Amino acid sequence: MNVHAPAPLRLTAGIVALLAPAFASATNGYFTHGNSVKSNGIAGIGIALPQDGLAAAANPAGTALVGNRLDVGATWFVPRRSADIVSNAIAPDMHYDGNGRRNFVLPEVGYTHAVGERSAWGIALYGNGGMNTDYGQNPYARFGGTGRAGVNLEQLFLTPSFALKLNPHHAIGIGVNLLYQRFEAKGIGFFDGFSQTPGKVSNRGTDTSTGAGVRVGWNGQFGDSVTVGATWSSKISASAFDRYKGLFADHGSFDVPENYGIGIAVRASGRATLAAEVQRINYSDVRAVGQPLAPLLQGEPLGAPNGPGFGWKDVTVYKLGVQYVLTPQLTVRGGFSHAGQPVPEAQTFFNILAPAVVENHVTLGATWTTRDGNEFSAYLARALSRQVHGRGAIPASFGGGEADLKLAENLLGVAYAWKF
């Protein structure tokens, strides 16, 4: 199939318009564990192992290393989230199911195009984060909450990139991370009494926000078998969620945290590649996410510049994977990743809305190359069930006790690539 540059760009623009509001996810905090079907199949690895048109989502230097191609795919994401409130003086122990909405779609589109022998440009569309809970029985009803409770955060990134080969063994790249995000909260109107902007805490419908940042990266080959990569993405200062300026610290601000990582890929044989990666996500630098609940008890209202938040810690993610070429047509891959979950035991009360506590992912994937050189890829991932028990989580003014959080996830993705 012959694919010319204008057609991929028209297709990418159309998918952006169609799918921008269509998904939510949560794996390593609210970042996905990988940004493409191929990457997700090998534990989310991509910094030193670019394989598709979405290479810039992990490391923009990879844009110059994957050739001319268009990748289109989607992931079916199925989270299972719940919470328990125990030993609370206001009402008996209760279990709450947060799965009012069970199925989500995460789109992905990547296009890369070489410019001469040394440079290339590309564009990648992907969901880098999100969070959704929908409790039919409101966990906060005992405190005055009414109706269904939950939040819906959706983040979509569009990353144009440019990469340059400094020589046959080293490449550098830069990408512009363009952010579009949506947020809605419901069922927590009782927090109006603790906000500097009552009426802009809950049940305000969906609000949107935009922002931009940069990602830079390097990829280097050492000998015939070792590739090393490094990448850094700036914090994105996004426009505020005005409808929820009474909920998020700093008047509705909700930025995207700085993140960076290093990776290595070793071709152990003509067919096998071993890869490893370390990623750091600085959630604590985003006030809405990193501020603990404690300021609320010290007279600092929700929505204030130093107001309460979700109390998330920074996260370090470790990834290990293997890829093996079984035949010229079939490549298989698998991996394991571990992340220190971001929710401290003392911060589970507010995080009933955002129980992003999974730590371990197990992944499998494969790519089939067709007769005309195009590729069909698929992956399956499981975020193993994780429960965090609260410790001093519910303030005495709310009756004390604990909030326990639980999350598990299943992911299934498919993609098709045209190479030209």
Side-chain angles (χ1 to χ4, degrees):
M1 175 179 179
N2 293 322
V3 181
H4 301 287
L9 294 179
R10 289 196 299 269
L11 177 60
T12 299
I15 293 177
V16 169
L18 181 64
L19 294 179
F23 67 95
S25 66
T27 50
N28 297 325
Y30 61 78
F31 276 40
T32 54
H33 79 280
N35 299 115
S36 73
V37 165
K38 281 189 174 181
S39 171
N40 282 320
I42 189 170
I45 288 170
I47 295 175
L49 190 65
Q51 299 195 77
D52 51 42
L54 286 106
N59 181 355
T63 300
L65 304 174
V66 295
N68 296 334
R69 58 187 296 141
L70 169 67
D71 293 78
V72 178
T75 288
W76 176 35
F77 175 64
V78 186
R80 294 289 180 262
R81 53 268 198 234
S82 64
D84 293 89
I85 293 180
V86 299
S87 303
N88 178 253
I90 297 176
D93 295 355
M94 291 288 291
H95 174 77
Y96 300 94
D97 186 310
N99 300 310
R101 182 179 175 187
R102 296 178 178 270
N103 300 290
F104 301 86
V105 175
L106 287 69
E108 62 182 63
V109 181
Y111 176 72
T112 55
H113 186 79
V115 181
E117 296 182 356
R118 296 184 56 193
S119 61
W121 65 270
I123 188 165
L125 168 75
Y126 54 99
N128 196 41
M131 174 62 66
N132 176 282
T133 48
D134 187 359
Y135 293 95
Q137 186 176 14
N138 193 329
Y140 298 104
R142 65 182 70 201
F143 310 113
T146 59
R148 304 180 72 91
V151 297
N152 187 44
L153 170 68
E154 302 166 340
Q155 292 183 330
L156 188 74
F157 285 77
L158 186 67
T159 302
S161 62
F162 178 80
L164 176 67
K165 293 181 180 179
L166 301 176
N167 56 48
H169 303 292
H170 296 271
I172 57 174
I174 185 169
V176 179
N177 290 329
L178 304 175
L179 166 70
Y180 172 82
Q181 58 182 354
R182 295 157 50 99
F183 179 78
E184 180 182 11
K186 57 188 177 184
I188 56 171
F190 74 99
F191 276 120
D192 275 346
F194 303 90
S195 173
Q196 71 169 16
T197 313
K200 290 199 172 184
V201 172
S202 181
N203 296 87
R204 297 282 296 166
T206 297
D207 201 1
T208 62
S209 169
T210 58
V214 298
R215 180 179 290 277
V216 295
W218 160 79
N219 183 289
Q221 297 180 15
F222 298 89
D224 296 328
S225 60
V226 178
T227 302
V228 179
T231 186
W232 171 81
S233 183
S234 69
K235 179 180 178 180
I236 296 177
S237 297
S239 58
F241 288 118
D242 182 70
R243 296 184 186 181
Y244 292 95
K245 65 189 300 182
L247 174 62
F248 291 132
D250 200 15
H251 314 291
S253 174
F254 201 97
D255 299 334
V256 176
E258 174 194 37
N259 58 94
Y260 47 88
I262 58 174
I264 184 170
V266 179
R267 285 169 292 282
S269 70
R271 294 187 175 187
T273 299
L274 304 177
E277 194 169 290
V278 180
Q279 179 189 25
R280 181 74 169 176
I281 307 170
N282 292 334
Y283 286 118
S284 66
D285 289 341
V286 177
R287 291 183 179 179
V289 178
Q291 287 282 94
L293 188 62
L296 185 70
L297 310 177
Q298 300 163 0
E300 194 79 26
L302 289 165
N306 293 305
F310 290 84
W312 282 22
K313 302 178 296 183
D314 297 339
V315 166
T316 301
V317 188
Y318 302 92
K319 307 175 184 181
L320 182 65
V322 60
Q323 184 164 278
Y324 192 83
V325 180
L326 283 174
T327 72
Q329 289 75 39
L330 179 62
T331 299
V332 296
R333 55 186 66 93
F336 175 82
S337 70
H338 172 79
Q341 67 87 14
V343 181
E345 295 172 338
Q347 302 298 320
T348 56
F349 178 54
F350 214 17
N351 280 286
I352 291 172
L353 296 170
V357 298
V358 294
E359 295 180 337
N360 299 317
H361 291 80
V362 179
T363 71
L364 292 171
T367 295
W368 178 263
T369 302
T370 65
R371 291 181 178 179
D372 55 4
N374 297 331
E375 297 172 344
F376 174 78
S377 298
Y379 85 96
L380 177 66
R382 168 73 174 176
L384 304 180
S385 180
R386 176 72 162 90
Q387 186 170 27
V388 172
H389 296 277
R391 181 178 296 179
I394 303 179
S397 56
F398 287 84
E402 305 298 350
D404 300 335
L405 312 178
K406 190 174 183 179
L407 179 65
E409 300 165 351
N410 293 311
L411 302 95
L412 174 65
V414 295
Y416 194 83
W418 293 268
K419 299 169 71 175
F420 47 93

